[in-house]
Amino acid sequence: RFPHAKEVSLARVVLLGPFFEVIHPLIALVSDIVFYTLSSYTMDPSRSSKMYRKSIAMDVSKNEEVRDIANLTINDLSSVRKEGMLTKLSGGKHAMMKNWRKRWCVCTNEGVYYFHEATEKCKGFIPFAQYRNASLAGDDHKKPNCFKLFAKNSPSLRQYVFVAESDVEMKSWMDILNKVLGDRDVLMNSFRRVTHTFRNTFLTTADDSARRIFRSLYVNVAEARDVRTEKHSGVPLNVYAVVDIASYQFRTRTKKKTIEPFWGEDFSVDLDPSVALPNIRVALWNEDKRIGRTLLGQVTIPISSLGAESSQQWHPVMPPGQEDSVYIAGDVHLKIVSRPQQKLLAVRVLDARNLPQRNKDGSGADPYLEIAFQGTVKKTKVIKQNLNPVWNEEFLFHYHDAPESFTVKCYDWDLLREHDYMGQFEVHLKDIKPEVPNDLRFILAPPASTGPDPASASASGEGGKSPSQNNRGNLRLTLKYTEDIILPAGSYNNMFRFLSLPEGIEMVKAMSGVISSSEDRVDLADAFVHAYEAGAGAEQLFEGLMDLEISSTEDPRVIFRGNSLGTKGLDLYMKLVGSTYLSYVLGPFVSQVYAQKKSCEVDPTQLEPGEEAEKNVARLMQLVQQVIDTIFKSADMCPSSLRAIFKHIQMLINKKWPEDDKAKYSAVSGFIFLRFFCAAILSPKLFDLAPDHPDAAVSRTLKLVAKTVQNLANLVVFEAKEPHLKVMNTLLESNMDRMKTFLDTISSSKQSKQSYSLSPESHKRAQLGGAASGGFEGLIGSTPMLPFTQIPDRELACIHRHLIKNKDKLTSTFPPKIFPWCVHTLAMLDDLEMSNLIIALNTKSSHALDVSSLPVRESSIITLPKSQYQLNLTTASYDRT
């Protein structure tokens, strides 16, 4: 799979040399896994270094791997784990005719080969790289001993169905398949680090002195309002959204029987910096069993119109085929007073927000409004270079005959050419309450696609709504486009080393206190987690953050309830190191619930006609007991790095609240259950446990199971708030001691016999040349980087960006003398007038340097007079930076 023989030899040396002892027990798996992983990195050099991210929208054109199997015989196969006769459901995913055919199946470490019963000719191959587990197939196929091989999170992959000759044979096949798939996942996670280092070390041809750009996009699909079809409005629909960004595609859950669906689902994607920024397309679909799926409408947003800060706003959903050549977005805030007796209308234009960029130089737009009322047109003043203008202007209109409506249009002012159209809306006077102020926001939209913002409220507290003439509803999205500039290779070495020092943890704590935005908090938590995981170890990071969190909390009942830097970071870290462990524990259970599709409803008000509550209760008890038994048995498999963190949390809790017996359990269960196990049960697709979101019945079953398991983790029973679930209290009370034992076990330092961690201990860099205790000054220039260590430059660039953004806030809580050592400042300089650079050290002295004569794209070491500091300055003509 390598284009050059040189790369093959390098791969053998790097991958099969230093790591031979690690992979020797599973040497048969190495070739397929290593080169499969490496090829995915070489084909996509812009892939993120964040290991937990997976390409949700894989471009898979065929279900079976392309290879020469026509002349393959059973004797040609190696590493055979099991073989035998199975009945296989033939026909692809979209085949019209499907038949059951007997096939001789052979399970190897790389996949399942199946052969013709009589001729022994190989008929196909199922690669394990595209599948996650084997489980019961459910009642859909109406055959005994039926099991299915479930594909990973890609809708284009076929799910293979087999029937074994007996129940014992079916369980044997499922055990072998799940064992091989589990081994592959563990190796795949380990080799992602190795292959990423190999690619960056040997296969990167870019100039190390050049800067790089990483682009990423965050999309949150929040909710929709007034969703309608072409002919009907107000009719409940089964709505889901599909997000298309370049070659990536994401889908939300289906919300049943509503015109106001709420999703609250978010997605992230990395964009190729070598191509032009694409558009974001969000399409709303209606799912109907009688007529199939129909496209309701769509929203198209150019990424180039997004600013650096996150943007949350409503967008009109346009009918299919009516995409606008000009992007329109934003809303306008009006306060309207109608006085019919005086035949007077007062319109106060307050402000607008989230307008799209129009000026070609990137300075925003120069917006103004036109109000057209019965042939009279009045304009607001022009607000220069502002996407969130504030006018606060009032206009009075007198009339003889009351009109039905008036129109407001928004334009971008230009000096020498026609003003750019930015959207409009229509205000219907029948929706305006007379004699009182009506405080409303209106969404800007193309002509005849109007109506008040459904999120706005009038002065009387009621939201304004009116039917749209052309659009299919409104969609609320939160978008954030990030473009990180990665400095040349080696620029972040000192910062990387600095994080392993005690001062590094103090910097993290200081950052935790100054970050206020939730998006910035998640962004920074993700960067710190990956930076420490690649360096000193994430346990060191979370020991510091948990110390800060617990010391600042007075009531143990609310410990870890907020979304702080520590809680968000540990949430991300559990997904990073525990994904395989989670799949092993909950994967078969989730597949079983998806396949059976049996109701477990125990609420009498929600029972379907003919349902028996007693049977549903028994079924729910069986499922809950099954899942908690599996979780309890998995205690020794919990990743050792998580166990070390939980042990530290329990130690701190016992020290601060020694009299509270429940606090040490609720603190740990608040992470491992509330944010991990129960969250995965509620949303299995988001945790890669299922290929699709569950339907309504399965979702209700998973919700009841998650509620019961979470109550058990909280060591409480159901009370009057949910009387229909009191029947589960007997099960809860009988398992509380087992829950305490489980939480104590995963909070101990005992080494597990079988761990599904990514082994962060093997990647620790805490020693870093033995200089960790010698102070930061002794570390600079004296500590060599360890072999095969990949500096997480993208994450460090993110940390650097937030340091610069919050440096003024940090100076009051963090020693400013650290910043000359660890922070690279990007100064914006004019291309023609390069001025002096003023350097202030410890706010005691300053030095003026003439940087106009510095060579471009070359480093210059400058010693500041009468000080011990040196500066490394580099100038470059790169986007005016």
Side-chain angles (χ1 to χ4, degrees), residues 515-768:
I515 299 295
S516 56
S517 166
S518 59
E519 292 88 356
D520 287 348
R521 193 177 297 117
V522 173
D523 193 29
L524 193 58
D526 182 86
F528 275 131
V529 164
H530 285 83
Y532 272 92
E533 173 69 357
E539 296 97 318
Q540 179 179 343
L541 169 69
F542 289 112
E543 285 179 5
L545 288 175
M546 295 303 107
D547 289 345
L548 176 66
E549 188 85 13
I550 294 174
S551 63
S552 60
T553 304
E554 298 301 327
D555 187 351
R557 293 173 297 179
V558 298
I559 189 70
F560 303 133
R561 292 291 178 89
N563 284 325
S564 64
L565 189 64
T567 56
K568 291 304 297 182
L570 189 49
D571 190 8
L572 295 169
Y573 187 65
M574 286 191 296
K575 295 178 183 178
L576 173 66
V577 301
S579 59
T580 304
Y581 169 59
L582 185 69
S583 179
Y584 176 83
V585 175
L586 294 182
F589 169 77
V590 170
S591 299
Q592 174 188 337
V593 176
Y594 267 60
Q596 289 179 349
K597 297 181 180 180
K598 294 181 179 179
S599 173
C600 294
E601 185 56 69
V602 295
D603 187 349
T605 63
Q606 297 191 37
L607 289 174
E608 296 289 339
E611 270 194 282
E612 298 182 25
E614 293 78 9
K615 290 184 177 180
N616 289 352
V617 169
R619 194 176 295 120
L620 179 60
M621 282 192 169
Q622 180 183 359
L623 287 177
V624 172
Q625 191 66 57
Q626 175 186 341
V627 73
I628 61 177
D629 285 345
T630 305
I631 291 174
F632 291 158
K633 292 177 182 177
S634 72
D636 286 337
M637 300 177 187
C638 182
S640 55
S641 56
L642 292 181
R643 297 177 67 161
I645 296 170
F646 296 150
K647 178 183 179 181
H648 186 74
I649 290 175
Q650 278 203 344
M651 180 195 70
L652 295 175
I653 294 291
N654 288 332
K655 185 177 180 180
K656 184 163 185 177
W657 297 290
E659 72 286 349
D660 195 324
D661 296 333
K662 284 188 176 181
K664 68 174 185 177
Y665 296 118
S666 61
V668 175
S669 68
F671 283 110
I672 194 66
F673 279 94
L674 180 64
R675 299 169 184 265
F676 195 57
F677 286 134
C678 292
I681 294 173
L682 280 172
S683 304
K685 185 177 186 295
L686 301 183
F687 286 79
D688 202 24
L689 297 179
D692 299 303
H693 289 298
D695 58 28
V698 173
S699 179
R700 178 62 178 169
T701 298
L702 294 175
K703 183 177 182 179
L704 292 172
V705 171
K707 272 190 175 184
T708 309
V709 173
Q710 187 58 54
N711 264 36
L712 178 60
N714 295 338
L715 303 178
V716 297
V717 296
F718 289 104
E719 297 179 350
K721 186 178 179 180
E722 294 177 297
H724 56 279
L725 286 172
K726 284 186 176 181
V727 293
M728 307 299 294
N729 285 345
T730 304
L731 183 147
L732 296 178
E733 292 168 347
S734 63
N735 285 280
M736 283 189 180
D737 289 337
R738 295 179 68 196
M739 175 60 72
K740 292 180 181 179
T741 302
F742 172 78
L743 294 174
D744 283 334
T745 302
I746 64 172
S747 302
S748 66
S749 57
K750 177 184 176 182
Q751 294 296 322
S752 60
K753 297 179 181 179
Q754 182 182 12
S755 177
Y756 283 79
S757 168
L758 296 184
S759 301
E761 294 85 351
S762 62
H763 303 286
K764 280 188 177 181
R765 305 289 182 254
Q767 299 300 322
L768 282 182

Side-chain angles (χ1 to χ4, degrees), residues 72-285:
L72 193 68
T73 65
I74 298 177
N75 295 329
D76 295 332
L77 302 180
S78 60
S79 304
V80 175
R81 306 293 291 271
K82 182 177 177 61
E83 57 182 308
M85 188 66 70
L86 294 173
T87 303
K88 173 180 167 292
L89 183 62
S90 65
K93 181 178 180 181
H94 303 290
M96 297 296 294
M97 299 294 295
K98 296 187 177 183
N99 300 306
W100 293 94
R101 302 181 187 275
K102 285 193 172 184
R103 295 285 184 252
W104 185 264
C105 298
V106 181
C107 174
T108 68
N109 286 329
E110 60 179 357
V112 175
Y113 295 85
Y114 49 95
F115 297 81
H116 193 276
E117 179 183 8
T119 64
E120 296 187 357
K121 181 179 179 181
C122 185
K123 302 295 292 183
F125 170 70
I126 307 172
F128 281 155
Q130 301 171 354
Y131 291 84
R132 54 185 175 85
N133 72 294
S135 187
L136 296 175
D139 302 330
D140 292 347
H141 303 286
K142 299 180 180 180
K143 286 185 174 290
N145 311 321
C146 187
F147 66 96
K148 182 184 292 187
L149 196 59
F150 285 89
K152 289 185 177 178
N153 194 9
S154 178
S156 60
L157 288 179
R158 174 182 172 186
Q159 295 181 355
Y160 288 86
V161 183
F162 299 92
V163 174
E165 296 179 350
S166 65
D167 181 67
V168 174
E169 187 70 7
M170 178 190 68
K171 292 180 178 177
S172 175
W173 271 101
M174 289 169 54
D175 289 343
I176 290 294
L177 290 170
N178 287 325
K179 179 65 170 62
V180 176
L181 288 166
D183 289 342
R184 288 180 59 90
D185 284 343
V186 172
L187 274 182
M188 189 69 83
N189 286 331
S190 300
F191 278 109
R192 280 196 180 99
R193 290 179 176 274
V194 179
T195 52
H196 185 70
T197 301
F198 174 83
R199 182 185 67 82
N200 282 275
T201 305
F202 294 100
L203 302 183
T204 302
T205 59
D207 183 7
D208 287 340
S209 64
R211 299 182 183 184
R212 291 168 290 148
I213 298 178
F214 279 97
R215 295 171 172 173
S216 61
L217 180 70
Y218 166 82
V219 180
N220 178 275
V221 183
E223 60 181 320
R225 290 282 191 268
D226 301 325
V227 179
R228 52 168 292 177
T229 63
E230 181 181 2
K231 298 180 180 179
H232 304 285
S233 62
V235 178
L237 303 171
N238 303 322
V239 189
Y240 66 91
V242 176
V243 182
D244 281 297
I245 308 166
S247 60
Y248 299 92
Q249 187 176 89
F250 313 96
R251 175 183 164 166
T252 67
R253 299 181 182 90
T254 300
K255 294 300 179 179
K256 303 281 187 177
K257 299 178 181 180
T258 180
I259 62 171
E260 298 185 349
F262 179 86
W263 296 284
E265 298 184 32
D266 50 7
F267 314 95
S268 296
V269 63
D270 293 329
L271 303 173
D272 187 354
S274 63
V275 299
L277 288 172
N279 292 339
I280 306 167
R281 180 179 179 270
V282 185
L284 296 186
W285 291 79

Side-chain angles (χ1 to χ4, degrees), residues 17 62-63 86 95 182 236 295 333 430 471 519 550 624 681 689 755 783 863 869 871:
K62 292 187 177 181
N63 295 326
L86 294 173
L295 177 62
H333 188 190
K430 65 180 181 180
N471 68 329
E519 292 88 356
I550 294 174
V624 172
I681 294 173
L689 297 179
S755 177
T783 306
T863 301
Y869 296 103
L871 298 181

Side-chain angles (χ1 to χ4, degrees), residues 441-454:
R441 281 195 175 273
F442 294 84
I443 299 173
L444 289 168
S449 174
T450 60
D453 185 338

